[in-house]
Amino acid sequence: MTRLVVTGTDTGIGKTVFAAGLTAALGACYWKPVQAGLDEETDSETVARLGAVAPDRILTEAYRLSAPRSPHHAAAIEGIAIDVDRLTPPASERPLVIEGAGGVLVPLTSSVTFGDVFARWRLPVVLCARTALGTINHSLLSLEALRHRGVPVLGVTLIGDDEPETAQAIAGIGQVRILGRLPRLASLTAPALREAFAAAFRVDDFADAIAEVSDQAAGSVSFR
């Protein structure tokens, strides 16, 4: 069964919007392992709304933390110790889209980052990157961090305005496929996202890429 991880080069770049579009396109379930920040719409709620995803396909977070901070900080504020062993992808009869928090090296504890958890899972990862200035550096550093941990990289998804030279640099220097680009949407609604996602991506490309990288990702690693 298709399972993949969506992460980003930074926070607030649009990866949850992309995750909503991907979850809808795959007819998948969605899981956010750790939600930090409960005062506004959570990422799970955003995916449900923008992806028009039924409640039974939104899987319960392992941790729900009130403060809009990095998970390790939000947990400390509440006196909670995140147990990374609880962060095991849940079983699902449908494809499963898992979304991390912020960037690859966002800390979950004082010694474990999301990248370390991705390494344990050995699931294919989609790296979301904005197309604004600075994204080449952020993207290449994120790719390096993932590969250093042996995480299989499915490809990079660009979010924002069309910047061909930026895409070419990331693809060439990073030796990675560009899966597509999700443009800025004037009206961020479920129908608008569905239409934009269908125009920007081919679902079969994700399936083909997952099969390819999964063949290269046998085995598992432990936390350091």
Side-chain angles (χ1 to χ4, degrees):
M1 184 61 68
T2 299
R3 298 191 300 170
L4 55 84
V5 174
V6 174
T7 189
T9 56
D10 202 347
T11 190
I13 62 170
K15 76 176 183 305
T16 300
V17 175
F18 169 78
L22 182 61
T23 300
L26 293 175
C29 290
Y30 169 87
W31 185 50
K32 178 86 172 184
V34 180
Q35 172 65 49
L38 302 178
D39 288 342
E40 300 180 353
E41 186 177 55
T42 67
D43 289 345
S44 292
E45 290 167 345
T46 298
V47 169
R49 176 174 59 85
L50 292 180
V53 180
D56 64 336
R57 288 165 50 197
I58 302 295
L59 307 184
T60 303
E61 301 95 332
Y63 290 93
R64 289 172 57 85
L65 307 169
S66 297
R69 301 287 188 271
S70 65
H72 84 299
H73 188 190
I77 291 172
E78 296 186 31
I80 295 173
I82 292 178
D83 180 359
V84 293
D85 288 328
R86 285 185 57 191
L87 305 183
T88 300
S92 171
E93 295 182 355
R94 290 175 175 267
L96 178 63
V97 173
I98 305 170
E99 183 185 356
V104 174
L105 297 186
V106 166
L108 287 161
T109 72
S110 61
S111 61
V112 177
T113 68
F114 260 106
D116 298 320
V117 173
F118 298 160
R120 173 178 282 190
W121 291 346
R122 290 288 188 176
L123 297 176
V125 168
V126 176
L127 178 66
C128 293
R130 60 193 175 93
T131 59
L133 186 65
T135 195
I136 296 174
N137 178 63
H138 294 161
S139 298
L140 297 180
L141 286 172
S142 297
L143 289 169
E144 186 171 300
L146 289 168
R147 287 170 174 158
H148 175 71
R149 288 164 173 75
V151 178
V153 178
L154 195 69
V156 171
T157 290
L158 298 172
I159 300 173
D161 300 330
D162 188 19
E163 297 287 350
E165 291 188 2
T166 294
Q168 183 177 357
I170 293 172
I173 300 173
Q175 292 297 289
V176 68
R177 64 165 61 83
I178 302 297
L179 295 166
R181 178 182 63 86
L182 187 64
R184 299 175 184 274
L185 300 179
S187 176
L188 192 51
T189 63
L193 177 58
R194 181 172 59 250
E195 181 178 350
F197 197 95
F201 304 98
R202 291 181 64 253
V203 174
D204 287 347
D205 288 344
F206 288 95
D208 292 344
I210 289 170
E212 178 182 326
V213 301
S214 294
D215 288 342
Q216 304 168 3
S220 62
V221 297
S222 299
F223 295 123
R224 294 168 295 177

